[in-house]
Amino acid sequence: MHDLRFTIPAEELNREPFTRASPDFSKKSALMVTDRGYKCRITNIVPLSEHERLFQLRIVDPRERELFAFRPGQFLMLEVPGYGEAPISISSATSHREFIELCIRKAGHVTSALYEARPGAFVAVRGPFGTSFPMEAMQEHDVLLIAGGLGIAPLRAPLFWINDHRDHYRNVSFLYGAKEASQMLFAYQFEEWKTVSHIDLRTIVEKPDEKWTGRTGMITSLFEEITIDTKNTWAIVCGPPVMFKSVCTHLDKLGIPMNRMFVSLERRMHCGMGKCCRCMVGSTFTCLDGPVFDYWSVMNLKEAI
Amino acid sequence: MIYKVISKNEFRAFVDALVRANTSYGPRQVDTGRNGEPVYQFMPVSSASEIAFDYTVTTSSAKHLIMPFREELSKFRFRDGDWDQEVRYDAPPIVLFGLRPCDINAINILDEVMLNGPYPSPYYLARRKNTFIVGMDHLPLPDCFCRSMNRHTVSRGFNLFASDIGESYFLSINSSKAYNFLKEFETTEPTEEDDCKLIERRKLIKQSFKTNVEVTGLPMFLDLEFDSPIWEKWGNKCLNCGSCAMVCPTCYCYNVEERVATGLESSSRQRRLYSCNLIDFAEVSGGHNFRPKNGDRLKYRYYHHYRGFAINDNQQICVGCNRCGRTCLASINPKEVINDLRLEKESCMTCVSPSPQRS
Amino acid sequence: MNHLGFDTEKLKIGSFDFTCCEGCQLQLANHESTLPEFLALLDIRNFREISSERLDDSDIALVEGSITRSDEVERLKAIRAQAKVLVAYGTCACFGGMNAQKNKFPKEECIRTVYGDKQIDTMPEAHKISDFVQVDYSIPGCPVSKEEVERIVVSIATRSPIALPKYPVCVECKQRLNTCLFDLGEVCLGPISRAGCDAVCPSGKTVCLGCRGPADDINYASFTELVRDKGLSTEEMREKLAFYNGFTEYLNHEG
Ligand SMILES: Cc1cc2nc3c(=O)[nH]c(=O)nc-3n(C[C@H](O)[C@H](O)[C@H](O)COP(=O)(O)OP(=O)(O)OC[C@H]3O[C@@H](n4cnc5c(N)ncnc54)[C@H](O)[C@@H]3O)c2cc1C
Ligand code: SF4
Ligand code: SF4
Ligand code: SF4
Ligand code: SF4
Ligand code: SF4
Ligand code: FES
C-alpha cells in the first residue's frame, strides 16, 4: 500500500493573532489578523440623549493597551460577545491612551445589547481600521469642523487633536447642528471647547422646543455668521449623506477646494479588512480606502451619494 | 515544474491510492437531469471508482472546500461575568481532484483576495496550505467562456495537472509533494511525440470554444454605463436568490453571524458566504438600503466580476465557467448581459458622434 | 452568560393551540441533544381551557394553529389581553396554513365532506392569528424548525432582537449542493420562500411549498415567468402557492 498522506505541521497552524509574519506561502504580509479582539472593560456609561450614550472602555491587558494607537477618524469593530460586531468611530483623543470613548446610538442587535450592559461588563474591540483625517496637512490653516447630529462622534477625535496642538492651527470653527435641541450631544463640553480651546463654536437646531434660545434652521445658514478664508481653510464634515452633501456643495460655492473637505462615509461592515465586500462603494472599500474621504473622491465614487 | 507522462491505468492507480489515504473530494454524478443529462458535484470520494473521470462540469464550484459556506471564526466561552475568546484555524488536509483550469485559476484569484492586501486571512491560509490540488483538462462545453477571460490555461496554483493525450496523461508536476507521491508509480519522461500530442491537445481545446464574450475595455464600459437602463431590464428578471454567487468559484463575500449555544455557555462567531444579490447585502440598521433595487444589486455583481477591485490589482475575477449562467433560474448569464451592455454602449457612441453618411 | 451584567431569566411560556396538528408543539421537545439546556431556559405551561388560564404579565404566549371558529377569536383576544409578548408559532398561526385549504371550497361542501351531516360551527375561512390580534413575533414553519425556535428563545432570554433571514430558500439549498428541482422538471417555491429551514425539503428531493411564507421583496413576476419558460404548469404553481396560504397577496393580486 502506498502512503500518500500529507499534512502540514501543526505548529504552522494556529498561530497567535497579530503575528507579524505570515506562515510562509511566500507572501509579504504585514499582519495576520484573526477574529480575536482586545478585551475591554466598560468603565463608564454616560447618557447623552434619549438614544445616544458615551461608552468609556479600558483595554484590560496593559501590554495591549500600550500597543493600541489610532488616528482621528479611524474606527473600531466593537464586539459584544454573544451578540455581534459593529463598526464604531473612535470618539476620544488620540493622546488619551488610558481609555477609549465611543459615542453610540441604539440601533440594532449589537448596539441594543450594549445598552443592556452595565459598567464593569466586558466587550472587545478590533482595530483601529480605516483612513484618518490629514491633521498634519491642516496645520497653519483655518479649520472648519461641521457636524450634524451623531456626526459629532467621529469629529471629537480631530477636535481633541486640535486642542492638543492648538498652536499649530489658526482659526478653528465648529458648527454643530441637530434636529432637536435634545439631540445636541456633548453640550456639557461646549463651554470648555470655547474658552479653553479657543474654538469658535456655534450651534443650530432645526426644530426648536420652548427652551431653545439659540439659532434655528439648517446648518448651512450658520455660514452667514462666520467669515471663511477660503484660500486657507480645510473642512471636516460629518453627518448623514444629505447633510454633508448640502454642506460641501455650499463650501464648494464659497470657493474651498473639494480636496480640502473631508467626510466620513458609512456603509454596512462585517470585517473592516477588505474581505466581506459589504462596505463597497463602487469599486472602493469604505473600510480600507475610507471611511475618511476627501469630497473630490466622494464625488467621483460610483454610488457614493 | 517537472513534466512526466503516465498511462491512464497507472494514473488511476495513483489517484486511487491518493484518495484512499486522504480526505478527498472529486467529481461524482449526483443526479440525472430532466433531459437525461448527468449532474455532477465535487463530493467526498474514497476510491477511484467513485470518481467520474470523464465528467463534464460540476454544478457548484470547489470554492466551498477552501472557503466553507459556514465557518467558525472564533468562540466565546462565558464564565462568571467574564468570557474567553478562542480562535482556531487548523484545517485538516484534503485532496481536491479533477479541478478544471478555470477552477484552479479561480482559487488563484481567491488567494490574491484573501492573502494579498493589508490583512491576509489566516483562516483561508490554513485551508489553502493544506489542500492538495490535482487538475485535469477537458474539452469546453458549448457555453464555457474561460478563453474569453484568458483563464483556459493554468500554470500555478495546483500540485499536479493532468492533460489528456490519448492513451496517457501528460503530467505537470508543480510541487515536491506531488513529485514524491508519484515516485511510487510508473511514469516516463515525455518524448517528443508526447510534447506534440500535448500541443495538439491544447490547440484542440482552444479551438473548441463556442462561446466568446468580449471583455476588452469592459471595466471602462462598466464605469460609463453605471446608470444604463440595461441594469433595470436584467434586474427585473433577477430573483435575488443568490444562487449565482453560491455556485461561482470566485464569489467570496460574507456575512458574520453570532450564535449563542442553547445552554448559554458559549457563543460562536461564524462567517457565512453571502451574495450581493441578496436584498439586505447593503442594508444598514434603521432600514436604509444602499442598493434598494434588484438592478442595483445585479449591476454590482457584474461590477465586481468584470471591473475588479483594487485588492486584486483591478483584475477581473470572473473565470468564465458560466456556472452562474447555468444555475440562474431567471436565465441571467454573463454572455447576454455583457453583450447587451456593449450594444447599449455602441448605439450610444454612434448617437454621440455620428459617422459621416455613406452615399 | 452574564458578562454584560444582567442574568438571563427563565422565560415563562404559555402555549396555546387552536386548529392545528400540534406538530409544532412537538418540535419543542425535539432535538434531543440540546433538550435539557433548552428546557432550562423555559418554564413551559400548557393551557387548554380559557377559564383556568391565568397569565402573569411577564408571560410569553406561544400561539399555535389557525383560527377557524368564532369562539376561538374570543379566546385569542383574551390571550392577547394578558400576554406581554405574543408569538405566532408555526405556519398555521402565521398564515393560516394547511387549514386554509378549505378557503378554496364553499363552506357547506367542506363541512359535509369533513363532518358529514353533523351541525358544526365553523367560519367560512381559516385565518392567520394576525387577522384578529397584534402579533409581536412570527416563527413560521410547518413544522417550525427546532433550531430556529431555540435561536429565538435564546434571543429573547438574552434580550436580543429577533430576526428571520430575508433571503430565499435557494441560498441554503445551493449551500447544500442540491440539484435544483427545476432541473428535474418540478416547480419549487424556493426562489420566493423565506429561508431559515436549511432547505430541508429540496434536500430531501421534495419541492419547497413555502411553509415559511414569502421572503422579503420577492420577484413574483419573474418567478411566474420562469415557470412558464421552463414549460412547467402555472396551475401547479398556483396550487403550491396556495398550499400554506402564505402567498395570498400575490395570488389575489394576480387573479
Ligand atoms: C465607519 C463607521 C463608523 C461608525 N461610527 C458610529 C459611531 O461612532 N456611533 C454610532 O452610534 N454608530 C456608528 N456607526 C454606525 C453603526 O456601525 C451602526 O449603527 C451599527 O453597526 C448598528 O449595529 P447593530 O448590530 O446595532 O444593528 P443591526 O441592524 O442589528 O445590524 C447588524 C449588523 O449589520 C451591520 N450594520 C448595520 N448597520 C450598519 C451601519 N450603519 N454601518 C455599518 N454596519 C452596519 C453591522 O455589522 C451590524 O452588526 C458607524 C458606522 C461606520 C461604517
Ligand atoms: S442572477 Fe439569477 S441566480 Fe443570481 S440572484 Fe439573480 S436570479 Fe438568482
Ligand atoms: S460579486 Fe457579489 S456575490 Fe460575488 S463576491 Fe462580489 S459582492 Fe459577493
Ligand atoms: S461569474 Fe459566473 S462565469 Fe464568472 S466565474 Fe463566477 S460563476 Fe463562473
Ligand atoms: S430546488 Fe428549489 S430551493 Fe433549491 S435551488 Fe432549486 S428552486 Fe431553489
Ligand atoms: S423548504 Fe420550503 S416548504 Fe420546506 S421547510 Fe423550507 S420553507 Fe418550508
Ligand atoms: S467591512 Fe468587510 S470589506 Fe469593508
Side-chain angles (χ1 to χ4, degrees), chain B residues 237-245 275 277 298 301 324 327-332:
Chain B
K237 286 165 85 79
C238 180
L239 298 155
N240 307 315
C241 72
S243 295
C244 45
S275 163
N277 283 110
L298 188 73
R301 184 157 190 281
C324 57
T327 222
C328 178
L329 290 169
S331 312
I332 300 171

Side-chain angles (χ1 to χ4, degrees), chain A residues 35-42 57-60 64 78-84 117 120-126, chain B residues 74-87 258 264-267 269, chain C residues 1-5:
Chain A
D35 200 48
R36 194 190 300 273
Y38 301 124
K39 184 187 276 192
C40 296
R41 183 188 281 278
I42 301 180
L57 311 183
R58 182 171 167 84
I59 298 178
V60 174
E64 288 176 350
L78 170 69
E79 161 78 37
V80 183
Y83 298 86
F122 292 107
V123 295
V125 298
R126 286 192 299 129
Chain B
S74 70
K75 193 174 214 109
F76 291 97
R77 293 192 189 285
F78 303 112
R79 53 166 174 82
D80 321 327
D82 197 357
W83 47 261
D84 282 316
Q85 191 176 12
E86 191 180 288
V87 183
E258 203 143 326
L264 305 184
E265 75 285 357
S266 69
S267 146
R269 268 173 68 71
Chain C
M1 191 173 153
N2 55 352
H3 59 292
L4 292 184

Side-chain angles (χ1 to χ4, degrees), chain A residues 51-53 73-78 83-91 102-113 115 150 153-154 264-271 278-279 286-287 290-292, chain B residues 255-256 283-287 290, chain C residues 161:
Chain A
H51 300 293
E52 280 109 0
R53 289 183 193 163
Q74 287 195 299
F75 69 94
L76 291 170
M77 292 302 276
L78 170 69
Y83 298 86
E85 235 180 20
I88 302 291
S89 309
I90 310 175
S91 209
L102 306 174
C103 166
I104 298 173
R105 170 177 293 171
K106 184 172 175 173
H109 285 84
V110 181
T111 46
S112 307
Y115 270 59
L150 186 58
S264 178
L265 291 193
E266 208 177 284
R267 284 295 184 278
R268 183 159 188 156
M269 292 189 174
H270 277 291
C271 71
R278 304 304 282 270
C279 69
T286 309
C287 63
V292 174
Chain B
N255 201 48
V256 177
E283 192 180 273
V284 292
S285 60
F290 284 97

Side-chain angles (χ1 to χ4, degrees), chain A residues 276-277, chain B residues 245 248 250-254 274-277 281 300-302 304-305 309 317:
Chain A
C276 72
C277 298
Chain B
C248 174
T250 53
C251 274
Y252 58 86
C253 58
Y254 59 87
Y274 222 65
S275 163
C276 58
N277 283 110
F281 185 83
Y300 183 74
R301 184 157 190 281
Y302 279 84
H304 192 177
H305 272 268
F309 295 162
I317 65 167

